[in-house]
Amino acid sequence: MADEKTVLMYKGRPLMRKDNLVYYGSMADSHIVMLQVLETKTVNDTQIATRVSVQLQLTDPTARSRDRVVKKSEKDGFYTALDVGCVWLERALAGK
């Protein structure tokens, strides 16, 4: 069994999951990506995400939650959503 303190990494950035929410990136950076699984289907007794909401958010704790969202979209499938979020995060952290 995996150690609970082990952090899953994707392309050098941490992935943290809580129920149907997945956060990609570090809170120490200026932006993070939030992925929310909206719909799933069952394939061979495994839940597969079919519709996922992607949001690029500021990590500024003083900003209102409504003002934190920089970009948002909905994608079919988790990998597609994570791929889009990864590109958004890279561009935001590069200052583009």
Side-chain angles (χ1 to χ4, degrees), residues 14-26:
L15 272 170
M16 303 295 278
R17 177 180 178 219
K18 174 72 174 150
D19 298 324
N20 67 336
L21 294 175
V22 176
Y23 293 96
Y24 175 61
S26 172

Side-chain angles (χ1 to χ4, degrees), residues 62-80:
T62 61
R64 294 185 320 193
S65 61
R66 175 186 295 182
D67 297 334
R68 287 185 191 156
V69 178
V70 177
K71 289 185 179 185
K72 64 182 175 178
S73 180
E74 274 189 22
K75 298 294 176 192
D76 294 328
F78 187 81
Y79 179 75
T80 306

